Amino acid sequence: MAFNLQTLKTRALTSAVFVIVMMMGLLLNNWSFFLLFSIIHFGCWLEYQKLVALIDTDYTQVTSFHKYGVMMAGWCFMLYFTNNSYNLGSLSLHAIGWWLGLIFVFVLPIIELLFSREVILKNIGYSMLGIVYISLSWGLMMDLRNTDLLNADQSPGIVDKPWLIPLLSVLCLWANDTMAYLVGSWIGKTPFSKISPKKTWEGTIGGVLLCVSLITLVFHQLIYWKHLLMISSIAAVIGTIGDLLESKLKRMANVKDSGHLMPGHGGFLDRFDSLILATPFIWLYIRLLAS
C-alpha cells in the first residue's frame, strides 16, 4: 500500500467532523446515544438493501411496505434492548419495542402475501439476514450502553459510566483502523486478502497489536486490564473480519462504496461494518465471561 498524503488529509478532515458527531451522540446523554444509533441503524439498512438489490435483482421486487417494514421491525430490537432505561411517561421504549415487534411478526407476512405479486422466499431471507446483521447488533449496543455489565470491584468507575463500554468499543475500532492504515502505508508489502487488495498482513497485524497496546495503556485505570485486553483484541480481530465481509458485499454488488456519507470514507456500512460485527462478540464476552 503506497502512502498517499492527500488521501490522508481528506480522511483526516472528514474524520474530525465524524468524531465530533459520534462523541456528542455517545457521551451527551442516553437519548443522544439512542438517536445516534437509530440514525445509524436506518442508514445501514438503506445501504444494505441497495447492495442486496445490486447483487440479486429479484430483491428490487419487494414492496415498499416490505422494504420499510423490515427496517421498523429491526428497529424494534433497539427499542426492546433499551432495558427500561428510556421512558415516555409511564411507558418504556422497551415495552413499545416488545409490542411493536409482535405486531410486525404477524403483520409483515400477511401484507406480503396480500400485496406482493409473487412471494420470493429468498427476498424474505435477505431481509431476515439484515435484521441479524444490522438490527440485532445495534440492539446489543443499546444493551451495552444501558446495563452495568462489568464487575465493579474489578473495573472501578464502570458502574457510574455506562457509556464507557460502547465508547471503548468504538475507540478500539478507530485505533485498529487508523494504526492498520498507517502501518500498512509505511511498511505494508504482503497482501492480506483478495477481497480487500489494499490491506496488508503488516498493516493488519500492526493495527491489532497497536490497538490492544494503546487501549490498555489509556484505559487501565478505569477497566480491569484483562477485560481491556480481551475487548480490544475482540474488537480488532472481529472488526477486521467485519470490514472484509462488507468489502465482499461491495465486490458482489460491483460498487466502490456502500454510500456517500463522508468524502474519502464512504457510507454508513463503510464506517460501521467493523462495529456491526464486533458488537455481538463484545457483548457475548461481557455477558458470559466478564460479569
Side-chain angles (χ1 to χ4, degrees):
M1 184 192 297
F3 182 76
N4 189 316
L5 182 59
Q6 184 57 46
T7 299
L8 182 60
K9 287 181 178 179
T10 301
R11 290 171 65 93
L13 179 61
T14 52
S15 291
V17 177
F18 178 67
V19 167
I20 292 172
V21 173
M22 285 294 296
M23 289 299 102
M24 289 179 62
L26 287 167
L27 303 177
L28 191 59
N29 54 51
N30 59 347
W31 285 103
S32 68
F33 187 93
F34 176 75
L35 176 61
L36 173 67
F37 279 95
S38 291
I39 293 172
I40 293 171
H41 173 269
F42 287 111
C44 288
W45 257 107
L46 290 171
E47 293 180 0
Y48 170 78
Q49 291 180 330
K50 182 187 75 173
L51 290 178
V52 171
L54 289 172
I55 295 170
D56 189 338
T57 55
D58 284 343
Y59 199 71
T60 60
Q61 299 179 33
V62 299
T63 64
S64 295
F65 185 85
H66 177 123
K67 181 178 179 180
Y68 296 107
V70 74
M71 291 186 198
M72 292 301 298
W75 190 56
C76 290
F77 270 106
M78 289 186 60
L79 296 180
Y80 178 79
F81 279 105
T82 53
N83 299 320
N84 294 314
S85 298
Y86 298 80
N87 298 302
L88 300 173
S90 59
L91 189 62
S92 70
L93 293 190
H94 170 81
I96 294 174
W98 169 255
W99 290 109
L100 279 180
L102 287 178
I103 291 172
F104 276 110
V105 165
F106 288 103
V107 171
L108 272 175
I110 295 173
I111 297 296
E112 190 75 10
L113 289 171
L114 290 177
F115 292 97
S116 293
R117 288 174 293 181
E118 181 183 3
V119 177
I120 303 177
L121 292 179
K122 65 179 177 179
N123 287 344
I124 298 175
Y126 289 137
S127 293
M128 294 302 100
L129 181 60
I131 287 180
V132 174
Y133 176 50
I134 298 171
S135 301
L136 180 59
S137 290
W138 299 143
L140 296 178
M141 178 60 75
M142 297 304 301
D143 190 49
L144 289 175
R145 169 62 175 80
N146 296 299
T147 307
D148 298 324
L149 296 178
L150 291 181
N151 190 325
D153 60 0
Q154 291 188 338
S155 300
I158 197 70
V159 173
D160 59 348
K161 296 180 177 63
W163 43 262
L164 189 53
I165 297 302
L167 175 64
L168 178 65
S169 303
V170 171
L171 292 181
C172 285
L173 293 166
W174 285 355
N176 180 59
D177 184 54
T178 302
M179 294 300 105
Y181 175 76
L182 293 176
V183 174
S185 296
W186 289 331
I187 63 172
K189 294 181 180 180
T190 311
F192 179 72
S193 171
K194 293 181 179 179
I195 298 174
S196 186
K198 292 183 179 181
K199 287 186 180 297
T200 65
W201 275 105
E202 293 85 354
T204 301
I205 295 173
V208 172
L209 294 177
L210 290 173
C211 166
V212 173
S213 301
L214 181 63
I215 292 298
T216 304
L217 179 65
V218 172
F219 287 93
H220 72 278
Q221 292 186 338
L222 291 176
I223 300 177
Y224 192 47
W225 66 271
K226 290 184 179 179
H227 292 326
L228 285 172
L229 286 177
M230 288 301 301
I231 292 172
S232 57
S233 297
I234 291 170
V237 174
I238 302 299
T240 299
I241 297 174
D243 182 60
L244 289 175
L245 175 61
E246 197 251 352
S247 294
K248 179 65 174 179
L249 289 176
K250 290 189 295 184
R251 278 200 162 221
M252 294 171 64
N254 196 30
V255 296
K256 180 181 179 182
D257 297 319
S258 64
H260 306 285
L261 174 67
M262 296 170 56
H265 290 269
F268 281 92
L269 285 177
D270 293 315
R271 283 297 82 212
F272 297 102
D273 52 2
S274 298
L275 189 61
I276 285 175
L277 198 63
T279 295
F281 289 89
I282 294 172
W283 183 88
L284 281 172
Y285 166 72
I286 293 175
R287 276 293 192 189
L288 299 179
L289 300 176
S291 298

